[in-house]
Amino acid sequence: MKEIKGFIFDLDGTVYIGDQLIPGAKETISMLRREGKKILFLSNYPLETRMKKVEKLQRLGIKAEINEIINSSFVLTEYLSKMHKTARILPVAETVVIDELQEKGHIITCDPEDVDVVVISWDRQFNYNKLNLALQAVKNGAKMVATNPDPTCPVENGVVPDTAGMIGAIEAVTGKQVDVIVGKPSTIMANVALETLGLQPEECIMIGDRLQTDILMGRNAGMKTALVMTGITNQKDMKGIDIYPNYLLDSIAQIQDIFSNQ
Amino acid sequence: MKEIKGFIFDLDGTVYIGDQLIPGAKETISMLRREGKKILFLSNYPLETRMKKVEKLQRLGIKAEINEIINSSFVLTEYLSKMHKTARILPVAETVVIDELQEKGHIITCDPEDVDVVVISWDRQFNYNKLNLALQAVKNGAKMVATNPDPTCPVENGVVPDTAGMIGAIEAVTGKQVDVIVGKPSTIMANVALETLGLQPEECIMIGDRLQTDILMGRNAGMKTALVMTGITNQKDMKGIDIYPNYLLDSIAQIQDIFSNQ
C-alpha cells in the first residue's frame, strides 16, 4: 500500500458517520499527508456543496481543500458542461444541484417542450407533478442524467429514500433507462477523480464502505480498492457477492497499521 | 365467436376514448345482449368507482349494471379481504381506493411501524414523504399490493403517469418487487371476472386495446382474445411482440360483422 500515490476516500460510513468521526480517521489522513500522499474525498451525496463538505471535515478536525472534494452534483455539472455549453434543464433535484447548474450557465426550465436534459437527483420535494413534467420532457426527446444510483441514504436510526426512488419512478413511466448516472460506480466520477489527482488508476486506491458503488467503481476504473466495515457493509453482506476489494479493513484506522508494518 | 358465452370488454380505448364512444360500441353491446351473451367491463383504471363507470356508460348510451363492472380497486379490495379480514393499510393511493378499503373494514394508517400492507395505486398526490413512509413500512415487514401495472394512462393530447411510477419508486428504494399486482394482466383479475360471470375461461373472450394487459391476461387465463385497433396499439406495435390475440379487429363494431357473417 505504501507504493500508492493517491488515496480516494468515500465520506459517509468511511471517514465519518453522520456527525461522528470514525476513530483514527484524523490520524490516518494526517499520516498519509506526512507521507506525501495525495488525498481526495469522493461522495455520491448530492445535497451539500463541496464547500459544506470542507467545513464539515474541518469541524471534525480534518483539514481539507475544496479541490480535494468531489461530489455527484459537481461531477454532474462538469459532465453536462462538456456535453452542452448551456443546456436547458428540467430539474428533479434540490437547490444545491440547481444552483451549481445555474452557476455553470445552464438554463433551468419547467417547460417540458423545451428541455435538453432532465437532471434527476435526490429530491425531497419530489411529487407527481414533477414526475409528469419529466415524462413529458422525455417524450419530447430530452435525455436523462442522474447524480447517483443509491437506493437509500443512512441517517440516524435508519435510512431514507435516495436518488434511486426518483430514477425508478421516471424510468417506469417513460419506459426508458436513464442515459447516464455520473456518480459512483460510474467511470465518469472515477475519471474526474483521476484528472483532479493527476494520477493513473493503478497509482490510486479507492477506500469505501459500499461494494456496489465504492468498490465497483474502483475496480472498473483499474484502481486498487479497500472495503471498510464501519458503514453499510458487514461481513454477512460479502457472501455470494462478486465484487471483491483488494483490502478488507476493519476501519480507516487500519491503514496506519499497514503503513507501520510494511 | 358465436359459441362464446361471456364477452369481457376493456373500457378506455375499446368501448370509449375519454368521453367519446367508439362508433358501433352501443350497437355491438345491444346485439350481444339480444343474443343472450353475458357482458362484463374490466378496467385497470383505479380513479373511479364502479358506480361512476355505470353512470359514464349510461351517459354514453350503454346500459350497464354495477355487477357488470370490475375495476382494479374493486379487485384489490376483494383480494385483501380474502387475505386479511381487516388489514392495517398504508395507502399510496387516492380517495376512491381508500374509501373502498375502509368500506370493507380495513384500517388506514400512516404509522409505518404498524402496517400489514402498503397499497400502491395511481396517486396524483404522490410525494417524497409517502415514498419514505412506504420504505419504512416495508422495512418493518409490510407486504406491497398494487392495483395495476400501467406505465401511463391516455388523456386528451397525450399520456400521464399511471401506477407504474409509484411502483417504480417504491421498488427502487426498498430493493424489493411488489408482492402482488391485482389488475390486468394478473390472473387475480381474470378470476374475479370469471367468478362474476359464472363461466369457464374457454367460454369467454377478452376484448381490449393493450397487448401487455388485456390480451396477455386473457391468454394466461385460457380465454379467447381480441385486440382492437381503436386504442393504444396500432399495427406497428404488433411487430416483434410475442403476445398474439385470436382476433384482430379494427374496432368493437367488427364483432357485429362477425356475428352476421357466421
Side-chain angles (χ1 to χ4, degrees):
Chain A
M1 199 184 273
K2 273 191 165 171
E3 307 299 310
I4 292 165
K5 293 180 181 169
F7 284 73
I8 308 172
F9 291 97
D10 168 55
L11 284 170
D12 220 315
T14 303
V15 173
Y16 52 69
I17 296 173
D19 275 326
Q20 293 289 316
L21 208 59
I22 302 282
K26 183 181 166 181
E27 295 74 12
T28 301
I29 306 289
S30 298
M31 181 274 293
L32 291 171
R33 290 201 193 278
R34 281 198 309 275
E35 296 275 341
K37 305 303 185 188
K38 288 185 174 177
I39 305 286
L40 204 63
F41 300 101
L42 205 64
S43 171
N44 268 0
Y45 190 78
L47 299 184
E48 270 176 5
T49 61
R50 296 160 79 207
M51 203 56 217
K52 283 266 179 210
K53 292 281 188 206
V54 169
E55 289 163 14
K56 175 166 184 178
L57 283 168
Q58 288 184 337
R59 202 170 62 240
L60 295 173
I62 294 176
K63 216 179 127 238
E65 307 285 329
I66 193 162
N67 293 333
E68 290 176 328
I69 312 278
I70 289 172
N71 62 8
S72 59
S73 57
F74 174 73
V75 176
L76 178 109
T77 312
E78 293 286 301
Y79 176 81
L80 285 179
S81 296
K82 277 182 191 169
M83 275 175 68
H84 303 261
K85 199 174 169 205
T86 54
R88 300 184 70 82
I89 291 172
L90 178 79
V92 178
E94 297 205 8
T95 317
V96 170
V97 175
I98 293 170
D99 286 351
E100 284 204 45
L101 289 165
Q102 282 183 314
E103 277 167 30
K104 282 277 183 176
H106 299 298
I107 298 145
I108 303 300
T109 174
C110 288
D111 174 5
E113 295 193 0
D114 192 23
V115 175
D116 300 311
V117 180
V118 178
V119 160
I120 308 168
S121 186
W122 186 355
D123 183 1
R124 288 166 298 181
Q125 279 78 51
F126 183 63
N127 59 30
Y128 183 84
N129 183 42
K130 289 188 182 188
L131 177 60
N132 187 30
L133 287 175
L135 168 63
Q136 306 310 329
V138 170
K139 282 183 67 70
N140 287 324
K143 298 286 178 196
M144 293 182 270
V145 179
T147 48
N148 60 306
D150 304 77
T152 58
C153 183
V155 291
E156 210 180 338
N157 299 325
V159 296
V160 293
D162 201 329
T163 304
M166 288 85 244
I167 295 173
I170 295 170
E171 286 188 341
V173 300
T174 59
K176 291 187 177 176
Q177 287 203 297
V178 293
D179 295 280
V180 179
I181 302 178
V182 299
K184 295 178 281 187
S186 168
T187 47
I188 295 170
M189 196 168 208
N191 289 338
V192 173
L194 292 169
E195 276 171 36
T196 306
L197 288 168
L199 294 173
Q200 296 300 308
E202 58 275 16
E203 298 175 309
C204 297
I205 187 167
M206 176 69 217
I207 301 133
D209 68 321
R210 275 188 193 255
L211 289 166
Q212 300 290 352
T213 53
D214 300 314
I215 305 308
L216 188 58
M217 186 205 76
R219 274 188 43 159
N220 287 348
M223 301 171 183
K224 292 272 183 295
T225 56
L227 184 75
V228 293
M229 289 296 162
T230 45
I232 201 100
T233 311
N234 58 39
Q235 292 281 357
K236 203 181 65 193
D237 299 325
M238 300 292 292
K239 287 182 194 155
I241 296 272
D242 196 25
I243 307 162
Y244 288 102
N246 298 100
Y247 298 89
L248 208 58
L249 308 177
D250 292 336
S251 87
I252 186 174
Q254 220 183 331
I255 294 172
Q256 286 181 277
D257 304 339
I258 294 173
F259 268 73
S260 51
N261 291 339
Q262 269 181 340
Chain B
M1 198 184 274
K2 274 191 165 171
E3 307 299 309
I4 291 167
K5 294 180 180 168
F7 284 72
I8 308 172
F9 290 97
D10 169 55
L11 283 170
D12 219 317
T14 304
V15 174
Y16 52 68
I17 296 173
D19 275 325
Q20 293 289 317
L21 207 59
I22 303 281
K26 183 181 166 181
E27 295 74 11
T28 302
I29 305 288
S30 299
M31 180 275 291
L32 290 171
R33 289 199 193 279
R34 280 198 309 275
E35 296 276 337
K37 305 302 184 189
K38 288 185 175 180
I39 306 285
L40 204 63
F41 300 100
L42 205 63
S43 169
N44 268 359
Y45 190 79
L47 299 184
E48 270 176 5
T49 61
R50 296 159 78 207
M51 203 55 218
K52 283 265 179 213
K53 292 281 187 206
V54 169
E55 288 164 14
K56 176 167 183 177
L57 283 167
Q58 288 184 336
R59 201 170 62 240
L60 295 174
I62 294 177
K63 215 180 127 236
E65 306 285 328
I66 193 160
N67 293 332
E68 289 176 327
I69 312 277
I70 290 173
N71 62 7
S72 59
S73 58
F74 174 73
V75 176
L76 178 110
T77 311
E78 293 286 301
Y79 175 80
L80 285 179
S81 295
K82 276 183 192 170
M83 274 175 69
H84 303 262
K85 200 172 168 205
T86 55
R88 298 185 71 82
I89 291 172
L90 178 79
V92 178
E94 296 205 8
T95 317
V96 169
V97 175
I98 293 170
D99 287 350
E100 284 205 42
L101 289 165
Q102 282 183 315
E103 277 167 30
K104 281 279 183 175
H106 299 297
I107 297 146
I108 303 300
T109 175
C110 288
D111 174 5
E113 296 193 0
D114 193 24
V115 174
D116 300 311
V117 180
V118 178
V119 161
I120 308 168
S121 186
W122 185 355
D123 183 3
R124 289 166 297 180
Q125 279 79 50
F126 183 62
N127 60 28
Y128 183 85
N129 183 44
K130 289 188 182 187
L131 177 60
N132 188 31
L133 287 174
L135 169 62
Q136 306 310 331
V138 171
K139 282 182 68 70
N140 287 324
K143 298 286 178 197
M144 293 182 271
V145 179
T147 48
N148 60 307
D150 304 78
T152 57
C153 183
V155 290
E156 210 179 337
N157 299 325
V159 295
V160 293
D162 200 329
T163 304
M166 288 85 245
I167 295 174
I170 295 170
E171 286 189 339
V173 300
T174 59
K176 292 187 177 176
Q177 287 202 298
V178 293
D179 295 280
V180 179
I181 302 177
V182 299
K184 295 178 279 185
S186 169
T187 48
I188 295 171
M189 197 167 207
N191 288 338
V192 173
L194 292 169
E195 276 172 36
T196 307
L197 288 169
L199 294 173
Q200 296 301 310
E202 59 274 16
E203 297 175 310
C204 297
I205 186 166
M206 176 70 217
I207 300 133
D209 68 322
R210 275 189 194 254
L211 289 166
Q212 300 290 353
T213 53
D214 300 314
I215 306 307
L216 187 58
M217 185 204 78
R219 273 188 44 159
N220 287 348
M223 301 171 184
K224 292 270 183 297
T225 56
L227 184 76
V228 292
M229 290 296 164
T230 46
I232 202 100
T233 311
N234 58 38
Q235 292 281 357
K236 204 180 66 191
D237 299 326
M238 299 292 293
K239 285 183 195 156
I241 296 270
D242 196 24
I243 308 163
Y244 288 102
N246 298 100
Y247 297 88
L248 209 58
L249 308 177
D250 292 337
S251 87
I252 186 173
Q254 219 182 329
I255 294 172
Q256 286 181 277
D257 303 340
I258 295 173
F259 268 73
S260 52
N261 292 339
Q262 270 180 338

